[in-house]
DNA sequence: GGCTTCG
DNA sequence: CGAAGCCAACGCAAG
DNA sequence: CTTGCG
């Protein structure tokens, strides 16, 4: 099998004296090509990178070892081919042998050439051929799938030196400027270090049992997840049968995520609180799991002496931690019922369909009495549901078999179906009790948060308490008593209420909700110690409900405001670290940030300079307001990598693979070939745009998704056709108002600069326009452009395409022009606009853009396009609103444009009347 | 700023 | 490795 | 048709 090219190696090596390669050598000639990196303490410590090709291992010795930093280039000296089975060699090479010293398998996995972003993992012959071509050309690009090394790398042959190559990490998700991967110094096969070998330790059995995860479709090799959050279920009213769904009994306990990493076991509550200390037995079971790193999801429950599920027993168990005075029913057993696996030995399984994850879990889990696999059922949902109720369970969880795990998200792919309706509410106060309750309280006043973070009253609950609970609750409530009502609106009660700070959450059972959102026949069940008040919301839904089974569909894809704010806070903290380069984590995505101290707005005079860090802080700060305006709108980037005085270019298409968190949409102009447009639908993308020095955000006025005001006609089937169609229907009429009133300080031929007179005139025109729009029953929203003028957006139902909207806008502008011919112009020739305010309706065309709301601008002051209330328009000035000032202003007064898409009007009347004239 | 290509 | 180049492109108004 | 415009 080994021929000519290996001759050199054979000469140098005497196989009789060196240990045989371990018997775990991979099956040659099947599956993806193999790579291995051996750490080799020879005369000089180095790492040997070996790539399988044609039955042998192409090899490079890398003195510096690989680096995850794309800026770091490491010398890689090509050495002789090694035989394929050397890939699993680990141990001592005796003194006197070639390469004497210790060798560990520092990393291994598979690889594929990846030129042009095309991978050949599935085709050995193709992969081999591509590698041969790369070798001949002196340039290799390949993707590694190992334990330590992942992502795309390149080996380039240097001009000088026959065998001198450079190993460079490509920029991708796995690139990391901060982490030194060489810190991980253990063998991925034996767990041993070079030092262990020196000390005479023998490699024993492999420690990982990752059961062929390479074969589980959609399992991804990733770093251990930094954040662990359970996926949440939506509610459904009734059980159902569907072959695409499976059913689990719903256990009444504490939702818990178990994590094993770096030899440490952790148990995390639904809120991420570390509860490891509370469950010693379960921790012990976890320690015995045959995995080096692992994340499980499940429910911790308690059984009473009769073997029945007993939530009270669990509470008693937790309360009596460290004490022996527990009074409630005793827990006979504490059990962790595991129903999901999210991560295993380097593989992120969250993208694997549910049934796949269950299969892996079943194989991997070593069950113990304290840790069990939660069985699931298929078939008649109704039968399973009633069986569960008969067992005294709360109900069932229906889970879509093909669904992926979405950490921290409430998904319509998981539905809880309960026998009694219960919900969680924030306790906002209590009413006085009478009779034997006069010393405690009568009822708890309940509420929940709406999407504006306001506490909305939801009625009272006055039953379900026993004496102990009454006194207990009373003292806890009195400790958080407050003068002011925590509720948004007046609470309509005919008894006085003692208000409390909204800090406690109650689970309440009820028969139904009344029309006004109150509860009928409410019964207090328990305090939710594991839930914080801000999690109590109308709807946490974060995806559309495709099946229509969910009780309440979420608003859209947006995470709920509170979570969004947490994510932002998280980012702000990371951004403030004083390093010039940072890798930050944003909602589970890694973003490499560079040159944070680079000045993008130089300032000058009294103007402070603004850096890239300032830009990113701004973007994160306004993200909770900005993202909804950007969502699903194609973007045009306006980039200034070297600041506003440096080179500038527009960019519509990224032209390279985008980070996985960036959404794109293929659009075409009138049916010609499509181009991928970027969409900014999440915080990570927004920050990435900052990283690539996209100073301005220019968005389309149409979106790539349908909605209540815009269906897709049945005869459109091609995705490209559909997107082109959808993007032809604008959400707004827009007016771009620019003063052509010169300050006199402009250089010759330049556009007019910002000046008081011009801006005042612009505001005046805007107000005239508003008057007319009001008369047409249209709603108008105004913002500064951030430069010299104003933008007026008029939200409309998506019933008319750009052509119709354009025509209507022209009519409106002509009307304004007629009334104020001395100050307004719609002239297309620039010279003819001089001294007047240019009212531009010509942007109402598909594919045209304007600097979006809250877009930073390349002005000396680092201004942004600021949404404003109409009142007091004349009193503001564009330079009041900068990347430095706006986050605080928004936090203070909110976004006047927040409701713009809810203020849509029908343009029909206007168009009809226009047609008549 | 990221990436490719060329030397 | 270092230097240099690329990174939008359409449709409407008006002459 | 070309050119200017954003
Ligand atoms: Mn070596
Ligand atoms: Mn403008």
């Amino acid at each position: 099998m080994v021929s000519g090219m290996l001759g050199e190696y054979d000469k140098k090596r005497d196989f009789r004296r060196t240990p045989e390669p371990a018997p775990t050598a991979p099956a040659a000639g099947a599956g993806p090509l193999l790579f291995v990196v051996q750490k080799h303490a020879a005369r000089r410590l180095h790492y040997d990178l070996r790539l399988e090709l044609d039955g042998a291992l192409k090899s490079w010795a890398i003195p510096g070892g690989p680096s995850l930093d794309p800026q770091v280039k490491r010398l890689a000296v090509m050495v002789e081919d090694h035989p394929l089975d050397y890939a699993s060699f680990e141990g001592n090479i005796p003194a006197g042998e070639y390469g004497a010293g210790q060798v560990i398998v520092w990393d291994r996995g598979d690889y594929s050439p990846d030129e042009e972003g095309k991978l050949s993992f599935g085709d050995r012959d193709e992969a081999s051929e591509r590698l041969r071509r790369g070798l001949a050309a002196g340039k290799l690009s390949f993707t590694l799938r190992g334990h330590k090394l992942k992502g795309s790398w390149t080996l380039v042959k240097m001009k000088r030196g026959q065998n001198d190559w450079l190993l460079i990490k490509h920029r991708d998700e796995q690139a990391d400027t901060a982490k030194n991967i060489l810190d991980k110094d253990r063998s991925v096969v034996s767990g041993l270090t070079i030092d262990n070998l020196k000390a005479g330790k023998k490699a024993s059995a492999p420690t990982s049992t990752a059961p062929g995860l390479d074969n589980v479709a959609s399992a991804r090799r990733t770093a251990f997840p930094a954040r662990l959050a359970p996926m949440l279920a939506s509610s459904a009213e009734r059980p159902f049968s569907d072959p695409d769904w499976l059913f689990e009994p719903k256990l009444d306990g504490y939702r818990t995520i178990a994590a094993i990493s770096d030899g440490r076991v952790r148990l995390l509550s639904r809120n991420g609180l570390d509860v490891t200390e509370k469950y010693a037995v379960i921790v012990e079971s976890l320690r015995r799991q045959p995995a080096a790193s692992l994340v499980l999801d499940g429910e911790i429950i308690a059984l009473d002496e009769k073997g029945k599920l007993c939530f009270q027993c669990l509470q008693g168990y937790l309360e009596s931690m460290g004490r022996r005075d527990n009074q409630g029913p005793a827990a006979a057993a504490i059990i962790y019922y595991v129903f999901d696996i999210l991560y295993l030995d380097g593989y992120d399984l969250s993208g694997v369909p549910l049934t796949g994850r269950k299969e892996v879990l079943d194989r991997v889990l070593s069950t113990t009495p304290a840790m069990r696999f939660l069985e699931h059922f298929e078939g008649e949902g109704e039968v399973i549901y009633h069986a569960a109720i008969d067992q005294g369970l709360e109900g069932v969880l229906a889970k879509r078999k093909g669904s992926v795990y979405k950490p921290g998200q409430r998904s319509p792919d998981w539905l809880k179906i309960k026998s009694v309706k219960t919900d969680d509410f924030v306790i906002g106060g209590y009413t006085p009790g009478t009779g034997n309750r006069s010393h405690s309280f009568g009822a708890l006043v309940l509420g929940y948060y709406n999407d504006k973070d306001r506490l909305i009253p939801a009625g009272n609950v006055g039953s379900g308490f026993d004496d102990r609970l009454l006194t207990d609750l009373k003292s806890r409530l009195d400790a958080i008593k407050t003068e002011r009502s925590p509720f948004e609106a007046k609470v309509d009660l005919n008894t006085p209420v003692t208000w409390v700070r909204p800090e406690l959450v109650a689970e309440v059972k009820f028969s139904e909700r009344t029309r006004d959102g109150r509860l009928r026949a409410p019964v207090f069940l328990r305090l939710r110690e594991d839930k914080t008040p801000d999690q109590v919301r109308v709807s946490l839904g974060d995806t559309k409900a495709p099946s229509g089974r969910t009780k309440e569909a979420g608003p859209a894809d947006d995470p709920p405001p509170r979570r969004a704010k947490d994510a932002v806070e998280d980012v702000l903290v990371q951004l403030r670290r004083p390093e010039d380069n940072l890798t930050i984590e944003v909602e589970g995505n890694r973003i490499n940030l560079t040159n944070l101290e680079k000045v993008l707005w130089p300032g000058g005079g009294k103007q402070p300079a603004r850096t890239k860090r300032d830009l990113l802080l701004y973007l994160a700060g306004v993200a909770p307001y900005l993202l909804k305006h950007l969502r699903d709108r194609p973007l045009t980037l306006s980039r200034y990598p070297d600041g506003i005085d440096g080179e500038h270019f527009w960019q519509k298409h990224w032209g390279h693979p985008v980070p996985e968190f960036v959404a794109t949409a293929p659009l075409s102009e009138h049916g010609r070939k499509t181009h991928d447009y970027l969409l900014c639908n999440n915080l990570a993308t927004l920050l990435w745009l900052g990283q690539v020095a996209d100073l301005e955000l220019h968005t389309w006025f149409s979106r790539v998704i349908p909605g209540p005001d815009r269906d897709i006609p049945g005869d459109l089937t091609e995705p490209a056709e559909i997107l082109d169609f959808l993007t032809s229907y604008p959400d707004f009429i827009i007016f771009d108002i620019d003063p052509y009133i010169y300050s006199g300080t402009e250089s010759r031929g330049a556009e007019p600069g910002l000046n008081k007179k011009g801006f005042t005139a612009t505001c005046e025109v805007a107000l005239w326009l508003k008057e007319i729009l009001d008369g047409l029953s249209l709603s108008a929203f105004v913002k500064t452009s951030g430069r010299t003028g104003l933008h007026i957006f008029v939200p409309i139902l998506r019933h008319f395409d750009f052509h119709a909207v354009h025509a209507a806008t022209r009519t409106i502008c002509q009307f304004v022009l007629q009334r104020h011919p001395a100050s307004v112009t719609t002239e297309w020739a620039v010279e003819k606009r001089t001294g007047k305010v240019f009212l531009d309706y010509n942007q109402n065309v598909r594919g045209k853009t304007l600097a979006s709301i809250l877009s930073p601008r390349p002005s000396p002051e680092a201004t942004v396009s600021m949404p404003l209330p109409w009142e007091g328009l004349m009193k503001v000035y564009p330079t009041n609103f900068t990347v430095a000032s706006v986050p605080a202003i928004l936090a203070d007064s909110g976004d006047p444009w927040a409701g713009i898409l809810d203020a849509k009007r029908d343009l029909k009347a206007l168009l009809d009347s226009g047609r008549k004239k």
Side-chain angles (χ1 to χ4, degrees):
Chain A
M1 93 172 186
V2 175
S3 59
M5 293 162 91
L6 286 166
E8 206 180 334
Y9 176 84
D10 286 335
K11 266 183 275 165
K12 290 178 180 173
R13 199 72 132 69
D14 175 355
F15 279 99
R16 283 162 305 177
R17 290 186 58 193
T18 43
E20 285 294 300
T24 48
L33 295 173
L34 160 107
F35 91 90
V36 61
V37 176
Q38 281 154 316
K39 186 176 178 183
H40 186 179
R43 234 191 357 254
R44 163 100 154 80
L45 177 71
H46 64 271
Y47 294 76
D48 291 300
L49 167 65
R50 309 188 196 280
L51 304 177
E52 177 188 4
L53 179 67
D54 298 331
L57 296 166
K58 292 284 157 195
S59 299
W60 289 261
I62 308 166
S67 165
L68 300 185
D69 184 346
Q71 288 164 42
V72 173
K73 298 166 180 75
R74 290 279 156 82
L75 178 66
V77 181
M78 195 172 202
V79 294
E80 67 275 18
D81 292 1
H82 278 53
L84 190 53
D85 52 5
Y86 189 74
S88 43
F89 174 75
E90 184 165 303
N92 273 290
I93 301 175
E97 283 288 321
Y98 170 66
Q102 295 73 35
V103 176
I104 58 168
V105 176
W106 182 77
D107 195 14
R108 80 173 183 186
D110 45 35
Y111 84 92
S112 159
D114 64 5
E115 287 92 354
E116 272 112 47
K118 182 182 178 299
L119 295 167
S120 306
F121 279 109
D123 186 339
R124 278 178 78 81
D125 292 339
E126 182 183 87
S128 302
E129 177 52 28
R130 292 177 71 189
L131 194 78
R132 279 192 291 270
R133 274 206 304 271
L135 283 168
K139 184 169 158 53
L140 300 174
S141 180
F142 51 90
T143 291
L144 298 179
R145 296 197 308 201
H147 295 267
K148 301 190 177 88
L149 302 185
K150 310 155 213 292
S152 182
W153 300 72
T154 186
L155 268 170
V156 286
K157 195 166 177 180
M158 286 196 281
K159 269 266 180 298
R160 292 167 62 88
Q162 286 270 304
N163 296 317
D164 293 351
W165 297 60
L166 293 164
L167 177 69
I168 308 163
K169 180 78 198 73
H170 275 141
R171 263 173 223 286
D172 59 19
E173 296 299 297
Q174 284 76 28
D176 191 329
T177 52
K179 180 158 114 201
N180 182 3
I181 190 68
L182 301 182
D183 290 346
K184 297 185 190 267
D185 58 356
R186 292 187 177 278
S187 161
V188 294
V189 173
S190 64
L192 298 178
T193 63
I194 290 279
D195 287 344
N196 291 154
L197 284 180
K198 281 184 182 162
K201 264 204 190 172
K202 280 271 171 52
S204 58
T207 52
S208 172
T209 59
L213 287 176
D214 290 300
N215 301 324
V216 176
S218 10
R220 291 188 311 134
R221 279 189 192 272
T222 59
F224 194 82
R227 197 175 309 171
L228 300 167
M231 173 161 165
L232 303 173
S234 303
S235 297
E237 295 286 353
R238 271 176 304 281
F240 57 89
S241 297
D242 188 328
D244 292 331
W245 293 67
L246 57 80
F247 302 87
E248 291 170 2
K250 183 169 183 342
L251 303 180
D252 192 17
Y254 282 123
R255 182 75 178 277
T256 307
I257 289 205
I260 305 177
S261 62
D262 303 325
R264 201 158 70 98
V265 170
R266 281 176 301 158
L267 289 170
L268 302 172
S269 77
R270 166 200 158 95
N271 287 324
L273 294 177
D274 194 316
V275 293
T276 317
E277 296 302 308
K278 300 182 190 278
Y279 305 105
V281 205
I282 297 171
V283 170
E284 198 38 49
S285 296
L286 280 161
R287 278 195 211 294
R288 294 213 289 275
Q289 297 304 311
S293 56
L294 178 68
V295 178
L296 302 173
D297 190 1
E299 188 98 2
I300 293 180
I301 56 101
L303 300 180
D304 62 17
E305 319 78 22
K306 293 191 199 118
K308 274 190 65 182
L309 207 64
C310 173
F311 184 75
Q312 275 189 72
C313 303
L314 182 58
Q315 280 186 318
Y317 166 82
L318 290 172
E319 273 167 27
S320 66
M321 296 293 300
R323 289 186 284 124
R324 298 227 39 100
D325 60 353
N326 179 26
Q327 293 164 12
I334 302 291
I335 302 171
Y336 186 30
Y337 272 101
V338 183
F339 50 72
D340 218 321
I341 181 166
L342 314 183
Y343 189 86
L344 172 62
D345 285 345
Y347 284 84
D348 179 2
L349 301 177
S350 60
V352 175
L354 177 63
T355 42
R357 299 201 304 275
K358 293 264 190 199
E359 226 166 83
V360 173
L361 178 60
D362 201 6
R363 252 186 303 164
V364 166
L365 201 67
S366 304
T367 55
T368 69
M371 190 161 139
R372 305 180 190 177
F373 179 58
L374 181 65
E375 293 292 343
H376 56 267
F377 304 89
E378 300 187 25
E380 304 268 305
E382 293 83 355
V383 175
I384 297 159
Y385 170 78
H386 288 294
I389 302 298
D390 290 344
Q391 297 283 309
L393 299 173
E394 287 190 319
V396 296
L397 263 141
K399 297 183 176 178
R400 194 191 292 277
K401 288 179 184 171
S403 64
V404 300
Y405 194 97
K406 296 189 176 148
Q409 288 189 38
R410 191 173 297 278
S411 164
D413 291 333
W414 287 16
L415 298 174
K416 55 180 173 215
I417 307 159
K418 297 205 283 186
S419 56
V420 285
K421 287 177 197 124
T422 78
D423 224 326
D424 299 323
F425 297 91
V426 179
I427 301 174
Y430 61 86
T431 60
T434 55
N436 62 355
R437 290 248 210 126
S438 53
H439 56 286
S440 53
F441 60 86
L444 300 176
V445 183
L446 305 173
Y448 58 87
Y449 285 102
N450 69 8
D451 56 6
K452 294 187 179 70
D453 282 349
R454 308 263 198 246
L455 194 61
I456 306 301
N460 300 343
V461 56
S463 65
F465 310 102
D466 60 25
D467 286 350
R468 239 184 61 188
L469 201 53
L470 282 168
T471 37
D472 203 63
L473 267 174
K474 177 69 160 45
S475 62
R476 289 188 64 169
L477 291 167
D478 284 341
I480 55 173
K481 241 196 276 191
T482 170
E483 288 298 307
R484 260 195 33 205
S485 164
F487 290 96
E488 150 91 327
K490 227 185 90 189
V491 177
D492 240 337
L493 286 174
N494 34 22
T495 53
V497 178
T498 307
W499 305 116
V500 299
R501 292 197 301 275
E503 290 173 9
L504 294 176
V505 178
E507 185 177 1
V508 176
K509 171 177 99 166
F510 55 94
S511 64
E512 63 178 320
R513 274 175 199 263
T514 62
R515 275 202 123 70
D516 57 353
R518 307 290 159 129
L519 309 179
R520 187 151 295 158
V523 179
F524 179 90
L525 290 179
R526 55 166 164 156
L527 279 181
R528 289 294 302 260
E529 309 279 8
D530 58 334
K531 226 173 157 178
T532 58
D534 59 60
Q535 292 171 334
V536 179
R537 303 198 156 267
V538 202
S539 162
L540 285 164
D542 52 5
T543 50
K544 302 172 261 302
S547 62
R549 282 197 183 101
T550 44
K551 202 157 58 180
E552 289 162 318
D557 274 7
D558 290 303
R562 178 63 56 141
R563 267 234 325 280
K565 277 179 199 155
D566 285 349
V568 163
E569 203 40 56
D570 215 65
V571 167
L572 292 175
V573 168
Q574 297 182 70
L575 282 175
R576 283 195 268 259
R577 289 177 47 196
E579 282 88 9
D580 196 32
N581 297 298
L582 279 177
T583 300
I584 62 166
E585 172 137 350
V586 186
E587 295 175 320
N589 303 295
R590 302 172 74 81
I591 308 175
N592 292 323
L593 302 178
T594 59
N595 293 322
L596 292 170
E597 295 306 317
K598 186 183 239 184
V599 171
L600 296 183
W601 287 271
K606 277 194 287 181
Q607 231 40 253
R610 305 289 178 196
T611 61
K612 193 164 157 191
R613 189 191 309 276
D614 295 326
L615 171 65
L616 286 156
L617 287 168
Y618 167 77
L619 292 174
V622 301
Y625 309 93
L626 172 55
L627 283 171
K628 69 157 143 256
H629 296 291
L630 301 180
R631 174 167 280 278
D632 298 317
R633 301 187 186 283
L635 271 177
T636 296
L637 312 191
S638 169
R639 299 181 54 192
Y640 295 80
D642 295 310
I644 63 168
D645 296 330
E647 193 199 336
H648 167 248
F649 58 91
W650 296 98
Q651 192 166 11
K652 287 185 176 179
H653 318 299
W654 187 248
H656 307 287
V658 291
E660 62 180 6
F661 51 79
V662 177
T664 62
L667 299 177
S668 64
E669 284 78 36
H670 219 74
R672 288 191 280 271
K673 95 166 197 249
T674 66
H675 298 278
D676 280 339
Y677 282 76
L678 300 172
L679 307 176
C680 183
N681 283 3
N682 53 50
L683 179 58
T685 303
L686 187 60
L687 295 167
W688 175 73
L689 290 170
Q691 159 59 20
V692 300
D694 174 37
L695 255 62
E696 300 185 277
L697 302 157
H698 288 249
T699 48
W700 286 30
F701 311 118
S702 51
R703 285 176 289 162
V704 298
I705 53 153
D709 59 338
R710 184 66 269 159
D711 285 336
I712 302 166
D715 58 320
L716 291 186
T717 48
E718 291 293 315
E721 277 182 337
I722 291 174
L723 288 181
D724 286 352
F725 174 83
L726 289 171
T727 49
S728 299
Y729 290 81
D731 288 296
F732 316 104
I733 300 179
I734 61 103
F735 300 88
D736 179 17
I737 316 183
D738 290 311
Y740 276 74
I741 296 164
Y742 290 80
S743 65
T745 58
E746 294 86 0
S747 51
R748 274 211 315 173
E751 296 267 291
L754 178 63
N755 62 80
K756 285 251 156 58
K757 202 172 146 201
F759 186 70
T760 307
T762 305
C763 291
E764 207 171 13
V765 173
L767 290 165
W768 292 333
L769 177 59
K770 165 149 172 57
E771 209 176 311
I772 288 161
L773 294 169
D774 283 347
L776 295 167
S777 299
L778 294 172
S779 42
F781 291 75
V782 64
K783 64 186 179 81
T784 63
S785 74
R787 300 277 262 197
T788 62
L790 294 171
H791 294 158
I792 313 285
F793 279 47
V794 178
I796 52 167
L797 292 172
R798 289 185 285 173
H799 294 176
F800 299 97
D801 66 9
F802 274 105
H803 295 279
V805 168
H806 185 235
T809 319
R810 180 207 278 124
T811 314
I812 296 170
C813 287
Q814 243 118 48
F815 195 65
V816 180
L817 180 62
Q818 258 174 45
R819 287 225 218 157
H820 306 279
S823 15
V824 174
T825 174
T826 58
E827 281 293 345
W828 198 238
V830 173
E831 335 65 274
K832 295 191 186 167
R833 301 175 189 163
T834 309
K836 298 186 178 178
V837 174
F838 177 44
L839 189 49
D840 186 0
Y841 54 87
N842 201 33
Q843 308 274 47
N844 293 286
V845 171
R846 181 176 182 273
K848 284 198 184 287
T849 65
L850 233 43
S852 91
I853 173 172
L854 296 173
S855 169
R857 306 305 308 269
S859 68
E861 302 86 357
T863 46
V864 307
S865 178
M866 185 67 185
L868 296 167
W870 282 100
E871 306 77 53
L873 182 60
M874 289 286 203
K875 293 198 197 79
V876 302
Y877 201 59
T879 49
N880 297 351
F881 309 108
T882 69
V883 295
S885 69
V886 164
I889 297 174
L890 282 176
D892 211 49
S893 342
D895 168 18
W897 282 39
I900 190 162
L901 287 184
D902 302 322
K904 288 180 163 228
R905 300 291 149 80
D906 197 338
L907 216 48
K908 191 167 191 308
L910 176 64
L911 284 164
D912 285 349
S913 72
R915 222 162 281 144
K916 264 178 249 155
K917 273 172 202 162

